[in-house]
Every structure is written in structure tokens, then in C-alpha cells.
Amino acid sequence: MLAALANPILPIFTVIFLGIVFGRKGIFTPEMARALNAFVYYIGQPALIFLLAARSPLGDYDVAALGSYFAVEVTLYTIVAFVAVRVFGTSLGEGLVLGMTTVFVNHLYYVLPIVTLLKGEVAAIPVEGAIFTDLAVLYCGTVFIVELISRGGASVSQVPLILARNPALWALLLGLLANLSGIGLPGGLYTFADFVGRTAPATLLFVLGITMANVRLFSLDKLTCIVIALALVAQPTLMYLLGNVNGADVQWQATLILLAAGPCGAMPFVIALKYGIPTDRLARAILAATVLSLPSLAFLTGFV
């Protein structure tokens, strides 16, 4: 447990901490954070997504385990979005990203590197499966709805245009096409994706730190506490309970429980920054969940 905490969990968390330090000193400003965020959104993140989608062994996926994981996500996402809007009076856009924050674990930028470094690429396959499910449905779906809100609604004829503006969706589709069809894409494309994609995790974690620099971490309102509690307690607990009845592979189940216990993800934050949605609750939830999840992640790595 302590070994996993010392390496690689704390070193990866340190990137966020450095962002906080440099942000508080004014070396990196919020404007710089938005510029770095744009790089991740349009270039770094799509490159990483394409690479994972193109190389992941899709035929080895455990559908029962992934189905259970997704069912838990959809349930908690809906509950938080509803409570945020109806009970706490947030905007629909903020309610959606808070719902997404609750269930969209920081897998691509945090848990995936941890599992890969500790256990190897084969052990990380369940995490990749969850990433694709989340990207295809939760991420693209949330971006689509928030885009509609920002436009004040849209006609059916505008739907393809809205979807076409999502670089992550294009990257996912291109990667899956290459994977499933066996089409031999130029080797240089994979080199580019690998080179650029490696920059995305550290860059976005650093951006998170910059944005959190002036956020009062422990000034948590009730809604933020609900998000954190459901993310760190309810989600892994429900995944564990479903694992007793869904007939999934034991290794897949253990890895997805570890994933479910991970900190709130960074991608809802990317959406919020892009569309001008308030980020205070998001930043507090992400940072608090990242800190609070350290011991549980270190403990659960022993079962993967």
C-alpha cells in the first residue's frame, strides 16, 4: 500500500500540487490555464484517445463488468444532476457537469497511468474499456447537451454539425475504425499521436492545479459534499455489490472497483472551462476527491 502511494500515486498527484503553487505565485495565470486547456481539448486529448482506441484489444472486453460500471455511472449522474438543478438551483449546464464529475473518474489522466505503471498494460485493459464507454456516451453526450444549451437550443438539422465540432468524438471514431477494420494508417500518425498524447495528462493536471490555486479547498457546500461522497463511497460500493451478481471476470471486477474509487475526473472541468460554466464547485470536488482518494487507491491496488 505504502509503496503504491509513494510511486506512482503521489508523483502523479504532485503535478496538480505544482500547478497550485505556480498559480498562487502568479507565474501561471488563469488566462494561461485556459490556453493550455484549449491545447488539451483540441490536440493532446484527441491524440491520446485515438491511440488508446486504435490499440486496445476490444475483443477481450468483459461486457458484464463494463455494463455494471456504466449502469452505476448513469444512475449517480442522473441523481446528482437532478438534485443540483431542482434542490440547489444550479443552471442545467452546471448540474450536468456536476453529475458528470461525480461518475467520470480521472481514469485517462490519473488511474490509467497508475495501473499501467504498477501492473502493466494488460492489467489496464479494463480501465481502457471504461474510458471508451465514458467518452462515447457520458463525455460526448454532456458536450452535446451543453452545446445545445449554449446555443439556446438547436434544430435537428444542426445535430451533425454540433457533433462534428467534438474532436474527442472524431478521435474515438477514427481509432475504433483503425482497430476494427485493420486499415493500415500511416505510421507517422501513430508517432504523432503517441508524442502529443503523452503531454495531455500532465498538462491537464497542471491546468487543474492553476485553476485551483485560489480556491478554498475546505469551503465545501452541501452539493459539493454530495458529489464527493457519491463519487468516493457510493460508486465503488455499488460496483462491488453488482460484482457479486453480474458474473464478471474477477480481475475485471477488481480493476473497475479500483477505478470507481478514483478521484473525480478532469474532463468535466475541460467542458466547464470551454463553455463558461462556473468551476468553483468542480475545482473543490476534484481537488478534495483527489486528496481523499489517495489512501483508498493505494489500498485497492493490492487487489488488482
Side-chain angles (χ1 to χ4, degrees):
M1 174 176 172
L2 292 178
L5 187 63
N7 185 35
I9 295 175
L10 281 179
I12 294 175
F13 172 76
T14 301
V15 179
I16 299 176
F17 177 74
L18 289 174
I20 294 173
V21 172
F22 281 97
R24 287 187 174 177
K25 289 184 175 296
I27 298 174
F28 284 84
T29 65
E31 290 74 22
M32 293 178 182
R34 281 191 287 271
L36 290 171
N37 184 72
F39 166 78
V40 173
Y41 183 85
Y42 287 107
I43 302 174
Q45 177 176 278
L48 181 58
I49 291 169
F50 163 76
L51 198 65
L52 289 174
R55 294 179 174 175
S56 187
L58 304 177
D60 295 340
Y61 283 5
D62 188 316
V63 177
L66 285 176
S68 298
Y69 186 83
F70 184 66
V72 171
E73 285 186 306
V74 172
T75 301
L76 295 180
Y77 183 118
T78 304
I79 291 172
V80 172
F82 179 84
V83 169
V85 175
R86 294 295 185 181
V87 178
F88 291 92
T90 69
S91 66
L92 178 57
E94 185 177 4
L96 289 171
V97 294
L98 283 170
M100 184 179 171
T101 300
T102 305
V103 301
F104 204 99
V105 175
N106 200 346
H107 37 36
L108 186 60
Y109 300 120
Y110 197 79
V111 179
L112 181 63
I114 288 172
V115 174
T116 302
L117 288 169
L118 277 176
K119 305 295 182 176
E121 294 184 358
V122 174
I125 292 174
V127 181
E128 293 178 3
I131 288 172
F132 299 147
T133 305
D134 284 354
L135 286 173
V137 183
L138 295 183
Y139 179 76
C140 291
T142 301
V143 169
F144 175 69
I145 298 172
V146 171
E147 177 76 23
L148 285 179
I149 295 171
S150 70
R151 290 169 174 246
S155 64
V156 175
S157 62
Q158 292 177 301
V159 171
L161 178 61
I162 294 173
L163 292 175
R165 294 179 56 182
N166 189 335
L169 178 60
W170 280 108
L172 179 62
L173 292 176
L174 181 59
L176 290 176
L177 177 63
N179 192 322
L180 295 171
S181 67
I183 295 175
L185 296 176
L189 179 60
Y190 291 96
T191 300
F192 170 83
D194 182 61
F195 179 70
V196 177
R198 289 177 184 271
T199 69
T203 302
L204 188 55
L205 292 176
F206 189 70
V207 167
L208 280 173
I210 297 170
T211 308
M212 295 171 183
N214 296 312
V215 173
R216 296 172 60 187
L217 172 58
F218 295 105
S219 179
L220 305 177
D221 64 3
K222 291 182 180 179
L223 180 54
T224 307
C225 290
I226 290 173
V227 169
I228 296 169
L230 291 180
L232 298 184
V233 180
Q235 187 161 230
T237 300
L238 289 173
M239 191 60 203
Y240 171 77
L241 294 175
L242 284 177
N244 293 324
V245 297
N246 63 8
D249 176 78
V250 175
Q251 191 62 42
W252 269 74
Q253 192 67 27
T255 304
L256 291 179
I257 291 172
L258 167 68
L259 179 60
C264 300
M267 286 192 181
F269 190 82
V270 173
I271 298 172
L273 274 184
K274 177 173 170 54
Y275 289 98
I277 295 170
T279 59
D280 279 359
R281 284 192 178 103
L282 291 177
R284 292 190 185 103
I286 292 170
L287 184 54
T290 302
V291 173
L292 294 173
S293 68
L294 290 174
S296 59
L297 281 179
F299 173 73
L300 289 171
T301 53
F303 297 92
V304 175

